[in-house]
Amino acid sequence: MRSLWSDADARRLIESCTADGIGEDLALRVYTTRLLGSDPQLVLHGGGNTSVKSRAVDAVGDEVDVLFVKGSGWDMGTIEPPGLPAVRLAPLLRLADVDSLSDEEMVRAQRSNLLDPGAPNPSVEALLHAWVQHKFVDHTHANAVLALVDQPDGEAIVRDLYGDRMAYVPYIMPGFDLAKAAKKASDAHPDAEGLILLKHGIFSFGATAHEAYERMIELVSMAEGCIEQGAGKTFAPAAIPDALARPAEVAPLLRGLLANPTDDEDGYQRFVLDFRTGPEILAFVNGGELERYARAGTATPDHVIRTKPKPLILPPPEADDPEGFATAARDAAELFREEYEAYFARNNDRVGGVKKALDASPRVVLVPGLGLFAAGKNAKAAAVAGDLAETAIDVIRRAESMDRFESIGEADLFDMEYWSLEQAKLGAAKDPPLTGLVVAITGGAGAIGAATAAAFRAEGAEVALLDLPGDHLEDVAADVGAIAIPCDVTDDAAVSAAIDAVTEAYGGLDVLVSNAGAAWQGRIAEVSDETLRESFELNFFGHQRVARAAVAVMLQQHTGGSLLFNASKQALNPGPRFGPYGLPKAATLALMRQYAIDYGAEGIRSNAVNADRIRSGLLTDEMVGERSAARGLSEQEYMSGNLLEREVTAEDVAAAFVALAKARRTTGAILTVDGGNIAAAVR
C-alpha cells in the first residue's frame, strides 16, 4: 500500500483553512481523512472514522479542549471541516467512569456536548477516540487486515505479525462497551501504535496527522505482505454451462423476484439493481464451494446493514432453458425469504421480541457464470451494496487463500443489522413516491424529454434518456441526473440494444415515456408515399418498437408497468397541411388503447398525453414566429390562444406524464394538456 501524503498538498490545505479561520490541527485532520477515504481498500461508504484532540472557542468565547471527530453522514474521501464536529472533551472523558450507557444515552451525551448544536451527530465510536491517549486517531476497515482477522486463528495471526506494536480487542459491537474495551486494551499497552479490533478493523495512533496516517499505511502494508507470503490456494471452479443467458435477460426476472407488494402508490417495494462482473468476481461465483464461503457472513459487521447477512445464490442461467432457470430462481428466492424470516424470528425472540422486521429481500445475488447483482432502493444504494459485495469478495478471497474465511456469529450479525440506532431511522425519512422505479424516455434530449426526466427524478425515479447520439444527449442527461443511451427508434436493433442497456444499468424497466417524434407537413394529396412512410416510421412504428421492447421486460418482472405515449391534438383535431404528422399520431392513440386492452390483465397500464403548442423540437421558435405572423397575432397571443389564455410549457407536459405514472387504476386514457381547446377535446 502506497502513501499518498504530500507536504505541498498538506500545506495548501492548511493555508486555505487558515484563511477561513480554521486551525492547523483540523486542517491536517481533514487532509489525512481524505487520503484514507480515497482508498477503497481502506474505507468504503462510512466504514471508518478519524479524530483529533485540539482546542476550540465556544459560544461565549472561552477556549476549551475538544475532540474533532467524523460526523455521521460524511464521506471521508470528500470531507470538509464541518464534517468533523467539535465535541467538548472533558465531559466525554468523565463518561469513562460510567459503568454502562445505552446507545441512545450515548448519542444524547455526545450531542449535548457539541460546540455547534446544528452539527451532525458525532461518530458512534467518538468515545473510543476520546478515551485513547493519542492526539490523532485513524480507523479503517482495511481489506487486508480483515482478511487476517476473519480467519479461525485470526487473533494468533495478527499477534504474530504485529506483536507489541498493537493492542488487541475482541469483537464487540460498536458503542459504549467497545469504547470501554478499547480503553482497557490501550491503557494496558500505552506504547501501542494502534488497535486491532478482531472481526472489525484497525486503528492507528499518532502525535501528528502525518504519523497516524503513515502508521496506518505501514500496518496495512504489513497485512498485505503477510497474505502474499501465506497465500497457497485459489477457488476450485465448479462446472459452468458453456451457453449462458445475458445479464439483460436475467435482471428483469430477478428484479421481479426481489420486489415486495405494498399498499403505497406504486403497489410494490421495487429495487434497482447494479450488475458487476470481472475476473475476480467470476472466480468467486464460479467456485465449487460458493455456498460455504459466500454465506459465511459479512467481511466486517457494519456491512450487514447494506447487504444483509448472506447473499442469494442462483444456479447458472443456461441460455437454452430459460423456464428452468426461472423456476429455480423463484424457488431459491422463496427459500431465502423463508430462511431470513426464521433468522429474524429466532433472534428477535432472543432479544425479547422488540425489533421491527426489515423486508426479507436479498441485497446481493450471486449468479455463477455471470457475476453479481446488488440491490438497493435506488441506484445509489444499489451501488453501495455492490461496492461492499466486491469488498467482501476481496476479503474472502484473501482469507481463503491462507485458510478459511470466518465472520462473526449469527447473533452478532443480527444485533448489528437490528441495531437500535438503525431501527430508529425506520420511517424517520420518507422516500419520494417513485423511489425504485426505472423510467426510460425516448426523445430524451428534447425540451419535453428533458423536462419529463427532471420531473421523474424529482419524484425519486431512476431515468434513462434515449435519443440520437451526440453531446446534447449527454449534456441533458448530466443536467437532470439521468443516464444517456443513444437510440434511433426507427431501428429495431438500436431499440433492442437500448432497452437492454436500461435493463443492465438498473435491472429492469417500469415506465416508458414514448416521446420521440418529428412533424412532416404538406397537403395530403401532394405528399409523397415516401414522406408519409417516413413519418409513420418515426411517429407510429417508433412508438410500437419501444413499447414492444418495454412490455417484454415488464412481463418478465411480473410487477406491472406503465406505457406513456406523447400524442398530439392533431390526432383528435386535424389541422390543414399536417396530415403527414397527424395520421400516424392518430394511429398511435389507437396503439395506446390496444396495449391497454391486451396487457391490462398483467398490470401494464397504457395512457397518452395530448399536448398542443409546446415550444420544442416540433414547435420551434421559428415555427412559432411563422404561425403567429400568418394569423396576425403576436407570439404570446398565438401561444396562449386557449381557454385559459396561458402558454403551456414542457414542464406542464412532464407533470402530466408523472401524474399518469402514479395513477395505478387508470389505463386507456388521454390526458389533454393544451390550456383548453374544445375542438381537440376527447369526445
Side-chain angles (χ1 to χ4, degrees), residues 3-21:
S3 170
L4 301 177
W5 177 278
S6 163
D7 288 337
D9 290 345
R11 188 165 51 252
R12 277 191 292 270
L13 186 57
I14 291 171
E15 292 170 355
S16 173
C17 287
T18 300
D20 294 331

Side-chain angles (χ1 to χ4, degrees), residues 13-14 16-18 20-31 33-34 50 52 67-71 74-76 78-86 116 119-120:
L13 186 57
I14 291 171
S16 173
C17 287
T18 300
D20 294 331
I22 295 167
E24 183 172 324
D25 280 349
L26 181 54
L28 287 172
R29 180 68 288 175
V30 169
Y31 175 62
T33 301
R34 289 176 182 173
T50 59
V52 60
L67 177 77
F68 289 106
V69 63
K70 177 184 171 293
W74 279 83
D75 184 331
M76 286 176 62
T78 57
I79 202 164
E80 298 289 344
L84 289 150
D116 176 4

Side-chain angles (χ1 to χ4, degrees), residues 1 4 29-44 48-51 75-78 137-141 202 204 209 212-217 220:
M1 177 159 286
L4 301 177
R29 180 68 288 175
V30 169
Y31 175 62
T32 53
T33 301
R34 289 176 182 173
L35 294 185
L36 295 170
S38 67
D39 190 338
Q41 288 286 315
L42 295 174
V43 172
L44 269 181
N49 37 69
T50 59
S51 70
D75 184 331
M76 286 176 62
T78 57
V137 178
D138 296 351
H139 172 43
T140 74
H141 295 166
I202 180 173
S204 64
Y213 171 74
E214 294 293 352
R215 278 180 173 169
M216 179 65 72
I217 300 303
V220 175

Side-chain angles (χ1 to χ4, degrees), residues 492-628:
D492 288 333
V495 169
S496 295
I499 298 301
D500 278 356
V502 175
T503 301
E504 289 199 17
Y506 295 127
L509 178 60
D510 305 300
V511 178
L512 169 69
V513 180
S514 189
N515 171 65
W520 280 263
Q521 301 181 53
R523 297 173 69 185
I524 196 63
E526 299 167 10
V527 173
S528 68
D529 289 349
E530 181 182 5
T531 296
L532 197 57
R533 287 192 178 95
E534 191 175 3
S535 181
F536 263 90
E537 198 62 48
L538 175 60
N539 293 311
F540 173 76
F541 285 106
H543 294 290
Q544 164 63 354
R545 283 188 188 89
V546 294
R548 179 171 53 207
V551 164
V553 174
M554 293 172 185
L555 291 175
Q556 279 188 282
Q557 294 173 156
H558 295 286
T559 54
S562 177
L563 303 176
L564 300 172
F565 298 90
N566 190 348
S568 166
K569 80 101 180 175
Q570 294 294 325
L572 298 165
N573 175 218
R577 300 179 182 274
F578 259 82
Y581 176 62
L583 289 171
K585 280 296 188 179
T588 296
L589 277 186
L591 179 73
M592 174 273 288
R593 285 180 163 147
Q594 195 64 49
Y595 271 103
I597 293 167
D598 288 346
Y599 295 98
E602 281 86 2
I604 297 174
R605 296 172 287 115
S606 180
N607 297 289
V609 170
N610 171 27
D612 188 31
R613 295 190 186 182
I614 312 296
R615 294 181 189 267
S616 65
L618 290 178
L619 185 58
T620 63
D621 289 341
E622 183 181 359
M623 290 179 67
V624 170
E626 292 173 354
R627 285 171 172 268
S628 58

Side-chain angles (χ1 to χ4, degrees), residues 419-444:
W419 193 6
S420 60
L421 299 183
E422 291 297 323
Q423 286 269 296
K425 297 177 184 178
L426 296 179
K430 189 171 178 61
D431 292 322
L434 299 185
T435 297
L437 259 69
V438 177
V439 180
I441 303 171
T442 67

Side-chain angles (χ1 to χ4, degrees), residues 173-239:
M173 187 171 159
F176 186 80
D177 290 341
L178 175 59
K180 286 281 240 184
K183 181 180 187 303
K184 180 179 179 181
S186 180
D187 288 350
H189 299 84
D191 295 329
E193 298 173 13
L195 297 171
I196 295 293
L197 273 55
L198 299 175
K199 309 294 187 186
H200 180 152
I202 180 173
F203 279 78
S204 64
F205 308 144
T208 66
H210 192 191
E211 182 178 44
Y213 171 74
E214 294 293 352
R215 278 180 173 169
M216 179 65 72
I217 300 303
E218 181 192 0
L219 293 166
V220 175
S221 296
M222 291 173 66
E224 290 176 335
C226 179
I227 294 168
E228 290 175 8
Q229 184 177 7
K233 56 191 176 80
T234 58
F235 296 120

Side-chain angles (χ1 to χ4, degrees), residues 105-131:
E105 290 170 332
M106 181 183 68
V107 170
R108 284 195 295 271
Q110 292 174 177
R111 273 212 69 81
S112 67
N113 286 291
L114 284 167
L115 259 60
D116 176 4
N121 280 336
S123 166
V124 72
E125 289 169 339
L127 291 183
L128 192 161
H129 285 262
W131 293 348

